[in-house]
Amino acid sequence: MAQPSTTRVAVTSNINIQVIDHDSMALQAGQQPVAVRCRNFAVKREVLIKSSGYFRAMLNPKYGFKEEKTKTIVLKEDNAVAMEIWLRILHNTLVQASYNAEASTVRTLFIIADKYQFAPSLLRGWFQVWFPRWTQIHQDYRTHLREYKNMVWFCLFFDNAWAFALVTRVLVYYTIGPVTVIVPDTDGLELSIPDAIILRLNNVKRRLVTVLDRQLSGTVDSRLYVGCGQPRHTWAACTEALREAGVLPLYKTDTTRCMRDVLDRLDEFYLAEMDTCSGCRAKYHDYVHQDGLWVWMYFDGLCLNCMDVDALKYNIENFEHRFEANSYDAGCRIVHGHASWYYSYPYSEASRRQLLERRYRHYQAQREGFAASALDRMVGNIALQ
């Protein structure tokens, strides 16, 4: 292996760190480790001592470690890319290349933080810049779905509302079968994701099927009214065409395809015989495309602000205020609609339904009271005449 060049991390350095990266496959197989990469980093001793208890002990003269005298620290079996990111974070010298890391590097950063006693919270600023760049490169959500499943825990840890909303939205629309997440394997660190999050994501996924079914079939009468009336040009014929296109039946969405697959087929749906009929004033394919767009825009992802129980001192009052004002993202860090608020809110679904039913009964009572008072005024006016 050639002599590695030195990367200057600190503006003024007084100690070197040599990172020897070994073949991970050989290590996992229990074979003799083979060095595949070796890099030197010129850093500042004082920064290491301030940021890490591990290096504070290593560079303390009273313990007599050789690194304190040789001014060179050799770190074996560490990822050189992840270590450089950490060293640049500690020295506040991040460069553009620091944000080009792969998703697996995020996991490695946590392993290094645990090993060398760095504060993982220092990664928050780096993650905030890195994640949008990573998503720009990995927009093929079907191909990279597993990596997005790995991101849920990191988005929660860094309290990144935008990233968490995007990841949960991707999982709902692109997962075939039940929505699952992957807790990162960080070599002994016990990490977990609340079961309530997975439950809510699966509730949203089932709700999307219901919403699409309602959109496709809920306005049959109005669509038939504007048709030409020919048997082959009815909504029933359109439904059969949807079945042939693979959109229906919708129950298969949970087992053999994701919601995005169904919506893609809706985008491609076209019924030529209705478009060429002079008597058809209804463009059924336009209706279908609008239905698909509605379902695609229905869920904006889970909202961390709406999920924060501690920030909502008066949960019921806040719930009712947002419901009455139709301001579902008031005070939130992301823009979202009713569905994101409803499934993010820190109540069980049964409790949310009870509150909604109570609000509905309240509106009904207000409406009936208004109607009664209007009738009284009308009767009074007639009597005066």
Side-chain angles (χ1 to χ4, degrees), residues 300-326:
D300 300 304
L302 294 180
C303 174
L304 287 178
N305 289 94
C306 293
M307 293 172 60
D308 189 358
V309 181
D310 296 331
L312 303 174
K313 296 181 181 179
Y314 306 100
N315 287 333
I316 295 179
E317 290 80 354
N318 186 284
F319 184 99
E320 295 181 350
H321 171 72
R322 292 196 184 191
F323 185 76
E324 291 175 352
N326 288 333

Side-chain angles (χ1 to χ4, degrees), residues 127-305:
F127 184 85
Q128 187 173 358
V129 178
W130 170 82
F131 185 80
R133 298 188 181 189
W134 180 79
T135 56
Q136 288 294 321
I137 302 173
H138 300 82
Q139 291 189 16
D140 186 353
Y141 300 127
R142 293 180 179 86
T143 303
H144 300 285
L145 185 62
R146 182 177 179 84
E147 295 172 79
Y148 278 91
K149 290 183 177 183
N150 268 299
M151 284 293 139
V152 176
W153 187 88
F154 296 113
C155 295
L156 278 172
F157 179 84
F158 293 123
D159 192 33
N160 192 310
W162 179 84
F164 185 70
L166 174 63
V167 169
T168 51
R169 174 177 161 82
V170 167
L171 295 186
V172 166
Y173 282 98
Y174 287 90
T175 298
I176 298 176
V179 177
T180 58
V181 298
I182 300 175
V183 180
D185 180 12
T186 50
D187 292 356
L189 292 179
E190 294 184 3
L191 309 179
S192 62
I193 296 175
D195 293 336
I197 292 178
I198 303 173
L199 176 63
R200 291 172 186 178
L201 293 177
N202 280 286
N203 287 343
V204 178
K205 190 172 185 293
R206 288 189 291 269
R207 177 63 179 168
L208 289 178
V209 177
T210 303
V211 171
L212 181 57
D213 180 65
R214 181 189 66 193
Q215 290 296 117
L216 290 176
S217 60
T219 55
V220 173
D221 293 338
S222 61
R223 292 175 180 177
L224 288 177
Y225 177 75
V226 296
C228 67
Q230 297 185 32
R232 296 186 62 196
H233 295 191
T234 62
W235 180 245
C238 186
T239 302
E240 182 60 30
L242 287 171
R243 189 180 301 275
E244 293 177 359
V247 175
L248 301 179
L250 289 176
Y251 68 83
K252 289 187 177 180
T253 305
D254 283 338
T255 56
T256 62
R257 60 196 179 188
C258 65
M259 179 54 68
R260 185 62 254 180
D261 293 334
V262 176
L263 298 181
D264 286 343
R265 295 181 184 184
L266 284 179
D267 289 340
E268 299 170 358
F269 177 80
Y270 181 74
L271 209 54
E273 65 175 15
M274 293 185 181
D275 192 43
T276 57
C277 175
S278 59
C280 281
R281 289 183 288 132
K283 305 300 182 184
Y284 286 87
H285 47 268
D286 289 341
Y287 283 129
V288 168
H289 295 168
Q290 292 170 11
D291 293 338
L293 181 61
W294 173 264
V295 175
W296 177 243
M297 302 299 294
Y298 181 80
F299 180 60
D300 300 304
L302 294 180
C303 174
L304 287 178
N305 289 94

Side-chain angles (χ1 to χ4, degrees), residues 370-383:
F370 176 79
S373 61
L375 180 61
D376 290 341
R377 289 194 300 271
M378 183 177 66
V379 172
N381 292 334
I382 294 175

